[in-house]
Amino acid sequence: MTDAQLIAIPNAQQVRQEYALEAHNLSIFYGNFRAVDSVSMKIQYNKITALIGPSGCGKSTLLRSFNRMNDLVPGARIEGELLFQGQNLYDPFVDPVEVRRRIGMVFQKPNPFPKSIYDNVAYGPRIQGIRKKSQLDDIVERSLRQAALWDEVKDKLRQSGLSLSGGQQQRLCIARAIAVEPEILLMDEPCSALDPIATLRIEELMRELQENYTIVIVTHNMQQAARVSDYTAFMMINENRSGGLVEFDLTEKIFTNPSDSRTEDYVTGRFG
Amino acid sequence: MSTTPPRSRSQLDRELMLLRDNVLRLSTMVDAALQQLQQINRQLDVAQARQIIADDTKINRLRYKIEEDAYKLIARHQPTARDLRGIITSIHIAVELERIGDYAAGNSRLLLEMVDEALLISTFSNITRMLDLSRQMMRNAMNAYVHWDEEQARRVIQRDNDIDAIDKQVYQELIDLMTKQSHTISHATYMLWISHNCERIGDRITNICERIIYMVSGEMYYGIRQKGEEL
Ligand SMILES: Nc1ncnc2c1ncn2[C@@H]1O[C@H](COP(=O)(O)OP(=O)(O)O)[C@@H](O)[C@H]1O
Ligand SMILES: [Mg+2]
C-alpha cells in the first residue's frame, strides 16, 4: 500500500458508534517505561469526562494518546487499541493529521500564536485550504461566538492574540481548536494558569460546548472535576510504577459514594 | 503544579468530630427528657413536667447550631464521599432528635392537662414500656451512628414493630374503655394522644437509622413502612 491508500475514518453521521472513544487495554510507553498500564474506558458522546489522580499518574499521557499527540515524542509507543468511530486510531494507515483535526487539544498554558486574533482562529481552516474571505469570516465569528469570546474581541480582531488576558487567551485557543470543527475536544488542565473568575468562564463554556462536542479534560482540581464533568476517571500509580485506571463512573457517584477505597481516600483528601 | 487536594484533612477531621460530638450531646439531652417523662408517667410531678417543656428550648437551640455548623463545614471544606454523607446524616439526625424532644414536651403538656384526673395504671405502664423501648433503640441507633454500623441500624429498625404493637394494644384498650364508660372519653383521648406520640418517637428513630444506613453504604434506604398510612 502507498500513502494514497490512507484509511478514511468514518464520520459520526455515517456510522454512529455507541461511544465517542474506546480504549481497550491501552498501555503507553516512553522507551521501556510503561507510563500507562492497560487502561480500558469508554467515552460517551456529548459528555464531559474528567481524568483525575495524583501528579505523574499518567493523565496527560493518556489524554495525549487520544489524538496521537504522543507520536511526536521520540520513543513513545502504545500497546492495545483505541477506537474512534470504530476505527483503531493507531492503525498505521490512519493519518495522524486527520486524527488531530477531528480530535482537538487545548493545553494547560494558553498558547496563542503571535498573530492577530483573526489569524489565530483562521489558522486551521486556512491549512485545510479554505481561502475565501467571506467563508473565513464566518468561521472566525462562529468559533469566537462558540468560545464565548466574540463580544469581547469583535472590534479588535486585528490585534495580537497575545494582547488578551489569560482567560481570554485560553478562550481564543478554544476558538482556534473548534474552528476546524473537531468532534472531540481534549483539554489538559485548561484552567490551571487562570484566576478563579476566568476559570469559571471556561467551565461555563465547557458546558455550552458539550452540546456539540465530546470533551475529555485532565484536571488536578477535584472540585473542578466535580463541578463540570459527567463522568470521572480516577487514575493512580500501581505497584509497577505505571499509571492505571482505578475507577470510572458517573461523577456524582465518584464524589458521593465511590466503589473503590482508593478513590474514596483520594476524593476525601486522605492522600494526594 | 501540585495535585495535593487543597484541603487540610486534619482540620476537617477535627470539625467532623465536633459535629458528631454535638449530635451525641443532643441525643443525651433528648434521652434525659424521655427519662424524666417516664418518671412523671409513674407519678405526675407538675414541676418536672414544666422542666421538660423548658428544657426543650435547649434541645432546639443545639439542633440549629448543629445544622449551622454543618453548613459552614460544607462551605469551607467541600467534603465528598463518606465525609459528605456523614455530615448530611448528622443534620438529619439532629432534626429527628429535635422532633423526639418535641414529643416529650408535647406529652408533658398533655399530662399537665390531666393533673386532676385519676390515672389509668395499665395504660401508663404500657406507655412507660414504649418509652423504654424508644430509649434503647435510640441508644443503639447512636451507637450505630458513631461506629458506622449498618447492621446495628437495621436491627434497630426491626424493633420499631414492638412499639407499634404496644400502641395498637393501648388503642384497643382505650377504645373499649370509652365505649363502656363514656365519662372517660376526655381522659382517654389525652391518653390516645400520648400513646400516639410515643409511637411517633419510634418512627423518628427509624428515620435516623435509615439515614445511618445511607451514611455507611451510600445507598438510599427506602424503608416502606405502612403504619403511617393506617391512621
Ligand atoms: N515525554 C516524556 N518522556 C518520558 N517520560 C515522560 C514523558 N512525559 C511524561 N513522562 C512520564 O510519564 C509519567 C506520567 O506523566 P504524565 O502523563 O505527565 O502524568 P500526569 O499528567 O498525571 O501528571 C511520569 O512518570 C512522567 O515522568
Ligand atoms: Mg499532566
Side-chain angles (χ1 to χ4, degrees):
Chain A
M1 280 203 246
T2 69
D3 262 9
Q5 287 166 300
L6 283 175
I7 295 171
I9 306 169
N11 64 39
Q13 282 75 36
Q14 285 164 356
V15 272
R16 174 87 172 183
Q17 301 291 322
E18 204 179 338
Y19 296 97
L21 268 181
E22 287 182 45
H24 295 290
N25 299 318
L26 187 67
S27 295
I28 308 165
F29 298 82
Y30 295 110
N32 290 326
F33 172 56
R34 188 193 290 258
V36 170
D37 186 14
S38 196
V39 165
S40 297
M41 67 167 78
K42 294 172 174 176
I43 307 289
Q44 302 253 16
Y45 281 105
N46 297 94
K47 298 285 181 208
I48 300 176
T49 301
L51 307 181
I52 63 169
S55 195
C57 71
K59 304 179 296 292
S60 296
T61 299
L62 182 65
L63 190 79
R64 284 197 303 263
S65 78
F66 287 171
N67 76 345
R68 293 188 54 168
M69 224 45 148
N70 289 331
D71 291 10
L72 312 175
V73 179
R77 65 184 175 87
I78 70 131
E79 278 175 12
E81 211 179 31
L82 184 71
L83 298 182
F84 170 61
Q85 301 303 341
Q87 172 64 52
N88 184 2
L89 276 187
Y90 283 89
D91 187 299
F93 294 101
V94 163
D95 174 8
V97 174
E98 157 90 347
V99 170
R100 285 179 213 127
R101 185 189 69 72
R102 296 190 42 190
I103 306 178
M105 173 85 81
V106 175
F107 298 92
Q108 178 170 353
K109 268 191 69 177
N111 58 345
F113 304 132
K115 293 167 179 284
S116 72
I117 293 168
Y118 185 100
D119 288 341
N120 262 280
V121 183
Y123 181 84
R126 280 185 177 132
I127 286 183
Q128 286 179 274
I130 298 173
R131 288 277 172 270
K132 232 172 105 191
K133 169 97 170 44
S134 63
Q135 200 182 346
L136 284 173
D137 287 352
D138 284 349
I139 292 173
V140 168
E141 178 171 346
R142 173 185 59 78
S143 306
L144 287 168
R145 278 189 192 282
Q146 278 192 20
L149 190 58
W150 176 253
D151 288 339
E152 289 157 65
V153 302
K154 60 173 189 272
D155 301 323
K156 47 179 181 183
L157 292 174
R158 292 293 156 200
Q159 282 184 23
S160 167
L162 297 171
S163 67
L164 299 172
S165 72
Q168 288 173 325
Q169 286 188 18
Q170 195 59 303
R171 278 179 281 144
L172 178 62
C173 292
I174 291 172
R176 188 177 66 192
I178 59 187
V180 294
E181 300 189 47
E183 288 145 63
I184 300 179
L185 265 184
L186 307 175
M187 301 183 164
D188 194 349
E189 305 199 9
C191 303
S192 62
L194 305 183
D195 65 55
I197 304 288
T199 296
L200 282 180
R201 297 246 12 209
I202 300 283
E203 288 178 5
E204 272 170 38
L205 174 59
M206 287 171 63
R207 281 297 181 197
E208 287 162 25
L209 292 173
Q210 180 179 14
E211 269 190 44
N212 299 307
Y213 306 94
T214 300
I215 297 176
V216 185
I217 176 181
V218 166
T219 173
H220 67 268
N221 178 335
M222 272 192 291
Q223 272 78 44
Q224 178 167 67
R227 280 194 300 266
V228 302
S229 71
D230 302 296
Y231 288 87
T232 296
F234 170 59
M235 296 174 67
M236 222 178 102
I237 291 176
N238 64 22
E239 58 286 356
N240 306 320
R241 309 194 37 80
S242 304
L245 179 63
V246 174
E247 188 168 350
F248 181 82
D249 212 325
L250 283 169
T251 297
E252 57 192 42
K253 178 83 164 54
I254 296 280
F255 286 95
T256 60
N257 187 21
S259 304
D260 194 292
S261 62
R262 292 167 295 175
T263 315
E264 171 99 29
D265 286 349
Y266 186 71
V267 300
T268 56
R270 283 182 171 80
F271 75 79
Chain B
M1 188 147 303
S2 153
T3 58
T4 307
R7 283 173 292 168
S8 150
R9 186 67 233 184
S10 57
Q11 181 61 25
L12 175 59
D13 281 334
R14 215 168 11 250
E15 291 181 27
L16 286 171
M17 213 161 70
L18 283 176
L19 187 71
R20 188 198 65 190
D21 289 351
N22 274 333
V23 173
L24 290 178
R25 199 150 65 83
L26 186 63
S27 79
T28 56
M29 288 163 74
V30 173
D31 185 64
L34 294 180
Q35 192 201 355
Q36 287 162 21
L37 192 61
Q38 281 180 310
Q39 281 166 15
I40 59 176
N41 273 341
R42 291 195 194 96
Q43 188 178 13
L44 187 46
D45 172 342
V46 172
Q48 179 94 290
R50 294 218 170 101
Q51 191 59 51
I52 295 175
I53 295 167
D55 286 348
D56 192 45
T57 26
K58 291 182 196 154
I59 291 176
N60 293 346
R61 212 174 302 138
L62 181 55
R63 164 240 194 271
Y64 284 111
K65 177 175 164 44
I66 289 169
E67 193 176 338
E68 223 182 347
D69 288 350
Y71 297 153
K72 287 179 192 157
L73 220 161
I74 291 171
R76 293 187 18 182
H77 295 278
Q78 291 150 36
T80 54
R82 58 186 285 139
D83 297 334
L84 179 63
R85 302 200 304 272
I87 295 167
I88 301 294
T89 299
S90 300
I91 299 173
H92 278 284
I93 293 179
V95 172
E96 299 289 353
L97 287 172
E98 189 242 330
R99 299 314 300 267
I100 296 174
D102 288 345
Y103 293 130
N107 277 3
S108 304
R109 284 192 193 90
L110 287 163
L111 286 165
L112 286 174
E113 293 290 325
M114 300 164 68
V115 158
D116 297 326
E117 307 193 32
L119 301 179
L120 296 167
I121 301 301
S122 75
T123 307
F124 269 112
S125 77
N126 272 330
I127 284 171
T128 303
R129 269 172 61 211
M130 287 165 86
L131 289 173
D132 264 335
L133 275 172
S134 302
R135 290 180 61 203
Q136 274 172 36
M137 282 170 67
M138 199 163 81
R139 203 166 310 132
N140 290 338
M142 297 318 292
N143 208 42
Y145 165 66
V146 172
H147 295 109
W148 290 65
D149 186 340
E150 181 181 349
E151 274 317 303
Q152 184 165 35
R154 286 185 189 277
R155 283 198 298 276
V156 173
I157 291 177
Q158 300 304 317
R159 300 291 301 280
D160 191 34
N161 296 331
D162 301 344
I163 295 188
D164 291 351
I166 302 174
D167 180 49
K168 278 218 181 72
Q169 193 187 326
V170 168
Y171 176 83
Q172 206 47 56
E173 216 171 85
L174 291 170
I175 294 289
D176 288 351
L177 184 70
M178 287 190 271
T179 355
K180 287 185 198 123
Q181 308 176 32
S182 63
H183 71 275
T184 63
I185 283 182
S186 128
H187 182 100
T189 306
Y190 283 131
M191 294 302 297
L192 273 180
W193 205 339
I194 287 174
S195 173
H196 179 65
N197 279 347
C198 290
E199 187 266 339
R200 294 296 292 153
I201 291 175
D203 290 349
R204 297 287 175 181
I205 298 168
T206 302
N207 292 347
I208 288 175
C209 291
E210 290 174 359
R211 291 295 164 175
I212 294 169
I213 293 170
Y214 170 72
M215 174 180 88
V216 180
S217 68
E219 306 284 341
M220 205 43 95
Y221 178 91
Y222 300 98
I224 299 163
R225 285 166 304 115
Q226 308 288 343
K227 64 184 180 193
E229 291 145 23
E230 281 173 17
L231 295 171

